[in-house]
Amino acid sequence: MVRRERFHLAAKPLASIVSVGLSKFGRREGVYARELFAEAALESFHRLEDFDPGKQIRAAFIGQMSESYERQSHTAPMAANWAGLLPVAATRVEDACASSGAALRCGIMAIKSGLYDIVLVGGMEKMTNLPTPEVTGILATASDFPFEQWNGMTFPGVFALMATSHMHEYGTTEEQMAMVAVKNHKHGALNPKAHMQKEITLDEAIKSRVVSWPLKIYDCSLITDGASVAILAKPKLAKKLSKNYVHIIGTGQAQDTFLMHERESLTTVKAAKLASQEAYKMADLRPKDVNVAEVHDCFTIAEIIAYEDLGFCRPGLGGKFIESGAPALDGSLPINTSGGLKSKGHPVGATGTAQIAELYLQLTGQADRRQVKDAEIGLAHNLGGSGATAVVHILRSG
Amino acid sequence: MSAPRDPTIEEFYKYCSEKKLMGVRCVRCKHIMVPPRSICNNCRSSRVEWTQLGSKGKLTTYTVVHMAPPQFKHMTPYAVGIVEMAEGVKLPSIIRVARLELLKIGMELEADFSTNPQESAWPQWPRYFFKETA
Ligand SMILES: [Zn+2]
């Protein structure tokens, strides 16, 4: 209750989240993206009473990274159709792995502008129908073609360059990176929607096959099928629509150079720093006010750098931060309680709003065995590509 | 004198086929950019000109790729990294060393070129790469 009083003067909500839905994440053989999306949408509709999605939802923003997986473009009307939302205004949003984080921002802008009262945001990706080398090739398309892909860079490769820099400059170790994987698998084992609900040992992680040195299999997020949605409403309507609602009180997005070699530093993701500063300012909060966070652990090093970029620890101390146990479920700032991209899985376009779905459950006290006690402020950190895009949102319980 | 060449990626690779590693330099603020482009990233000026880079550089970071997309699979494991040239500009590159264990941040490298065209219809670019200094 003490905490609650401290924030009652905080920033006005931009929009409210009245419901969320998540498909089961995993290898969903024989299930297409649109069907995963309908599964997530249906769950979000079932959380609401006396709600007619086809009538009340007038706009939808849907994140998806690539049409190559299913040879399918024009996917927003397709997903909206399968979710029973016609004649909703549906638009696809693409910012690589930050696609649905960016879709959420579009939804917030649509509500905040006054154009719509209720909108649906979400994301989807169907990835496991192709062999891994082909998926690796499609994921690499989020980085520059003529200089990066052309020179043999892969998606793990670009984050490995950051890992090498971080190790060199700050002494971060492969063991510390493996600790992130162990933690997130431990969390994921408590999440019935997670792709891999299995704990791993530090030894297994360190000895796993090298993908792009210094990153190994267990440093990499999973190739997963999945979809996620959130229903946004004008803050005034939130209480009327659901007793379980949370407010979005900060949003930030920034870009950095498209090619990694032009960045000021490879030990930080500058776009994430800028996006979080924007969101903190809007929310009138500081990093220490955050109770629970979902961060973009596409690779373990990305989570370590996120601790630093979001101000949870000082630059260079991300390795020490995981070592301290602070980001564990029973730590002082639980991070990736869902299992993160590492264990819950990373259906690229679905990831941004899947993070939001976890925070919604946490802030409404519905996270079951993963519940963070008295969580009131949640933060989501969603990266696109190698960090040319970063989207940060701050949520407050209703 | 021939007409100045456009600051495009296609021209960059044409220069590579002439065994020249080129960047574009902003006439106003002297900022050098690779890949080339027509608007300076630093001061937004649109007056840029080609400038030839030396062949010497230093490795600033690297990775050894073991799992690659189909077109690079035959090369695994191979090293890619970011090289800082004497002029201060950086560029991504494949790093060829006799033994991968020799890779080290700060090591001296020199540029070289392979002119083998790819099998694909597009693009038909030659490749620049970096190797240990002789
Ligand atoms: Zn300039």
Side-chain angles (χ1 to χ4, degrees), chain A residues 38-116:
Chain A
E39 186 181 320
L42 200 59
E43 187 183 85
S44 75
F45 303 155
H46 283 165
R47 281 182 199 279
L48 298 169
E49 281 167 35
D50 305 321
F51 184 71
D52 184 345
K55 274 217 176 83
Q56 288 173 271
I57 296 170
R58 309 301 284 277
F61 300 94
I62 301 167
Q64 192 193 25
M65 181 216 165
S66 178
E67 47 279 309
S68 302
Y69 299 113
E70 288 185 338
R71 297 184 191 173
Q72 182 70 62
S73 63
H74 204 197
T75 54
M78 170 191 87
N81 194 173
W82 256 249
L85 294 177
L86 300 183
V88 69
T91 304
R92 174 175 156 194
V93 180
E94 194 270 307
D95 260 337
C97 323
S99 293
S100 55
L104 171 60
R105 274 175 63 83
C106 293
I108 293 169
M109 291 188 271
I111 297 276
K112 183 75 179 149
S113 71
L115 199 57
Y116 294 103

Side-chain angles (χ1 to χ4, degrees), chain A residues 150-316:
Chain A
W150 184 250
N151 282 309
M153 281 201 195
T154 60
F155 186 38
V158 295
F159 278 89
L161 293 179
M162 288 191 234
T164 309
S165 292
H166 210 273
M167 289 163 74
H168 182 74
E169 193 157 331
Y170 298 121
T172 302
T173 64
E174 292 176 59
E175 189 174 7
Q176 288 168 334
M177 290 191 259
M179 285 176 182
V180 172
V182 171
K183 168 184 74 76
N184 290 351
H185 272 275
K186 200 169 170 187
H187 295 173
L190 303 173
N191 183 356
K193 293 280 179 74
H195 184 162
M196 272 186 80
Q197 297 162 40
K198 182 179 129 231
E199 294 198 23
I200 59 164
T201 65
L202 197 63
D203 201 47
E204 273 178 288
I206 289 171
K207 287 184 182 153
S208 64
R209 189 147 71 96
V210 178
V211 174
S212 191
W213 184 90
L215 301 180
K216 294 163 274 303
I217 283 273
Y218 277 115
D219 289 302
C220 305
S221 53
L222 307 172
I223 292 168
T224 300
D225 307 324
S228 58
V229 310
I231 299 175
L232 308 188
K234 215 157 76 172
K236 262 192 198 155
L237 295 176
K239 205 176 283 184
K240 223 163 81 182
L241 286 161
S242 171
K243 64 179 194 323
N244 292 313
Y245 60 90
V246 304
H247 296 307
I248 302 167
I249 56 171
T251 177
Q253 178 172 341
Q255 321 298 135
D256 200 352
T257 63
F258 192 53
L259 288 103
M260 293 187 77
H261 70 273
E262 296 198 291
R263 308 231 174 114
E264 286 164 23
S265 162
L266 286 183
T267 58
T268 175
V269 177
K270 188 181 170 191
K273 258 199 237 170
L274 296 175
S276 68
Q277 284 163 8
E278 186 184 0
Y280 282 131
K281 196 172 169 202
M282 211 178 283
D284 196 16
L285 293 175
R286 291 194 287 174
K288 66 174 175 52
D289 297 320
V290 176
N291 306 128
V292 58
E294 287 286 304
V295 309
H296 197 91
D297 59 327
C298 50
F299 299 94
T300 53
I301 186 62
E303 177 162 331
I304 287 176
I305 292 174
Y307 301 154
E308 302 170 12
D309 291 339
L310 297 170
F312 299 154
C313 67
R314 291 216 309 273

Side-chain angles (χ1 to χ4, degrees), chain A residues 309-330:
Chain A
D309 291 339
L310 297 170
F312 299 154
C313 67
R314 291 216 309 273
L317 297 184
K320 292 268 187 293
F321 191 71
I322 179 69
E323 238 174 55
S324 77
L329 192 50
D330 58 358

